[in-house]
Amino acid sequence: MGKILVIGGGAAGMMAAVFAARAGAEVTLLEKNEKLGKKVYITGKGRCNLTNDCDLDGFLAQVPRNPRFLYSALSFFSSQDMMALMEEIGCPVTVQRGKRVFPASEKASDVTKALTGLLRKLNVRVRLNSAVHRLQTAEGRITGAELEDGTVLSADAVILACGGLSYPSTGSTGDGFRFAADLGHTVTPPSPVLVGLETEEAWPKELQGLSLRNVTLTLYSGKKTLYSELGEMLFTHFGISGPLVLEASCHLPQPGKDCRLAIDLKPGLTREQLDARLRRDFSEAGKKQLKSVLPGLLPASFAALFPRLCGVSPDLPCNQITSAQREALITVLKALPLTVRSPRPLAEAIVTRGGVTVKEIEPGTLRSKLIPNLFFAGEMIDVDAHTGGFNLQIAWSTGALAGKSAAEMTVNSEF
């Protein structure tokens, strides 16, 4: 029976341990925290958006970086397989808006509880408060791991599932990247994605807390459109955030500068329709000031600020607004400009972009191309996706495939 060490007890690590044990390996799961699945507890605001009930092509369309690398893992253990597993181990699920899947109880703790019970049933040895200091090697392969307390554990194979650098309070402090680099792997520098964006402009701070729905956010780099979607966003003290902005951050080139944004505040209206609407509103308003008409188009706090962004006086009587001034209002309503200064820090990111380059990992097994008994799973790999359960499913799927592959290698006594 092959001995496998899984390092990291998050989503990917737990699933790797499950599939390795199911395939007949003797598995030890090492977690440096006091409990498993610490990051799982906070996903979906504590409700745990554990996957997305879409098909494979739909899933890959939500992965901006290296989507084809995930084809084998997602084919081996799909979103539907994850939903079936949860039902099987006593954690029923429910599909909600956008095909997002949650535990029926809407408690993230129930997901971890069910998986912990499964690990126990499969006789996986779980060691909590067990931080790994370094991996031990001999003759080009890993022989085991030395813990920070000096304990040495031998292994026929090791699965690294240490997470990235997002939410460091959950234990994601980049240990796995260090282990991989020490073994000769190329690690793409980690950076934040699914994160708010700081803007050069200061005026968003004046609208802090205001949420806009049914607007279109477009991200440009030079003349190239990197992202454009309809949805919801939020103004903050540093710039902008909310679902659209988090998704846009996935498409930001590194280091995330020299990009501009445009917000279409009225995506349901063409410029011509908007012009006709303004002409009518201004005609009916007569001598009333512009600032008294704009709340009909925009939220009150935004309406008060808006004329300044257009270079038009808010006190201007509507019947004195020129065609050029009306054109200026339309231009900003259809493409309110903002400049990206930078993404927010990694500590605030939902997911880490970067990690072990996919060129050095076999996609069909998730085995290292450099170290024959080393496997990778989860956020350590240089793939990331939009929100909606996709990143957790990547963790489940890569964990499952890495676990099965490692077990088959050791059980079949490849070494």
Side-chain angles (χ1 to χ4, degrees):
M1 184 184 286
K3 290 169 69 174
I4 294 176
L5 285 181
V6 180
I7 303 176
M14 287 190 287
M15 200 57 75
V18 163
F19 274 76
R22 275 183 166 182
E26 180 186 320
V27 184
T28 300
L29 176 58
L30 301 174
E31 169 54 52
K32 68 179 183 179
N33 286 313
E34 74 288 354
K35 63 182 178 182
L36 297 176
K38 211 164 179 183
K39 193 172 178 183
V40 174
Y41 280 99
I42 59 174
T43 59
K45 296 175 182 171
R47 295 165 60 223
C48 191
N49 180 190
L50 59 95
T51 189
N52 192 287
D53 188 20
C54 63
D55 62 18
L56 181 57
D57 288 339
F59 194 109
L60 295 175
Q62 298 297 322
V63 183
R65 287 166 65 79
N66 306 316
R68 299 310 299 177
F69 175 81
L70 292 169
Y71 188 90
S72 294
L74 291 167
S75 298
F76 171 67
F77 188 68
S78 67
S79 303
Q80 291 71 34
D81 292 331
M82 180 59 188
M83 293 163 68
L85 177 64
M86 286 288 102
E87 297 276 352
E88 179 190 319
I89 61 177
C91 182
V93 298
T94 176
V95 182
Q96 299 184 10
R97 184 173 57 88
K99 296 187 178 181
R100 288 169 162 83
V101 180
F102 296 85
S105 65
E106 300 205 345
K107 290 180 181 175
S109 57
D110 286 351
V111 174
T112 310
K113 202 180 296 176
L115 288 170
T116 302
L118 179 57
L119 291 167
R120 196 180 304 119
K121 188 177 173 184
L122 291 167
N123 297 315
V124 171
R125 187 183 180 199
V126 177
R127 292 186 57 149
L128 302 175
N129 301 302
S130 297
V132 173
H133 173 57
R134 66 185 180 94
L135 297 178
Q136 296 190 320
T137 58
E139 300 176 352
R141 60 186 285 255
I142 296 173
T143 57
E146 180 188 336
L147 305 189
E148 287 187 349
D149 65 5
T151 305
V152 175
L153 301 172
S154 64
D156 297 311
V158 167
I159 300 170
L160 284 179
C162 309
L165 281 168
S166 56
Y167 293 117
S169 61
T170 64
S172 299
T173 51
D175 303 341
F177 297 150
R178 176 169 56 83
F179 300 146
D182 287 346
L183 293 167
H185 273 281
T186 305
V187 178
T188 305
S191 58
V193 289
L194 295 182
V195 70
L197 298 176
E198 295 182 10
T199 59
E200 295 287 357
E201 296 82 1
W203 62 259
K205 187 175 182 179
E206 298 177 46
L207 299 176
Q208 182 177 345
L210 175 67
S211 180
L212 298 178
R213 295 186 177 187
N214 299 316
V215 298
T216 297
L217 179 71
T218 305
L219 173 68
Y220 299 97
S221 179
K223 292 182 179 179
K224 188 178 179 184
T225 301
L226 303 178
Y227 172 84
S228 189
E229 287 293 337
L230 175 75
E232 186 176 342
M233 58 168 289
L234 173 74
F235 291 108
T236 70
H237 65 285
F238 57 76
I240 53 174
S241 190
L244 277 180
V245 178
L246 297 184
E247 205 165 273
S249 74
C250 295
H251 299 264
L252 209 60
Q254 297 306 312
K257 293 185 177 179
D258 304 320
C259 286
R260 57 192 175 86
L261 296 156
I263 307 168
D264 186 346
L265 298 164
K266 295 294 172 185
L269 298 174
T270 63
R271 287 184 71 96
E272 293 72 26
Q273 290 170 328
L274 196 50
D275 186 40
R277 164 84 183 267
L278 290 180
R279 283 173 182 269
R280 187 186 73 237
D281 289 353
F282 293 163
S283 173
E284 290 174 358
K287 294 180 181 179
K288 288 181 182 175
Q289 295 175 319
L290 174 62
K291 63 185 177 186
S292 69
V293 175
L294 287 176
L297 277 170
L298 299 164
S301 58
F302 202 178
L305 172 69
F306 191 75
R308 182 179 7 128
L309 303 179
C310 306
V312 180
S313 169
D315 302 322
L316 195 64
C318 289
N319 60 7
Q320 292 180 26
I321 294 175
T322 65
S323 59
Q325 288 168 329
R326 192 174 66 251
E327 186 67 23
L329 293 168
I330 293 168
T331 296
V332 179
L333 280 167
K334 292 298 289 178
L336 174 63
L338 281 168
T339 312
V340 178
R341 175 183 293 158
S342 66
R344 291 293 283 173
L346 251 170
E348 294 181 24
I350 294 174
V351 169
T352 306
R353 170 190 280 182
V356 179
T357 178
V358 298
K359 293 176 183 175
E360 296 171 1
I361 305 171
E362 296 174 358
T365 60
L366 299 180
R367 181 164 72 163
S368 163
K369 292 180 179 179
L370 310 183
I371 310 285
N373 62 339
L374 175 65
F375 296 78
F376 296 101
E379 206 174 336
M380 284 201 60
I381 303 170
D382 187 14
V383 288
D384 56 84
H386 295 156
T387 55
F390 302 103
N391 288 290
L392 256 184
Q393 183 60 45
I394 289 172
W396 307 129
S397 294
T398 55
L401 181 57
K404 181 201 76 130
S405 303
E408 286 181 352
M409 184 197 77
T410 58
V411 172
N412 294 336
S413 301
E414 188 172 311
F415 291 97

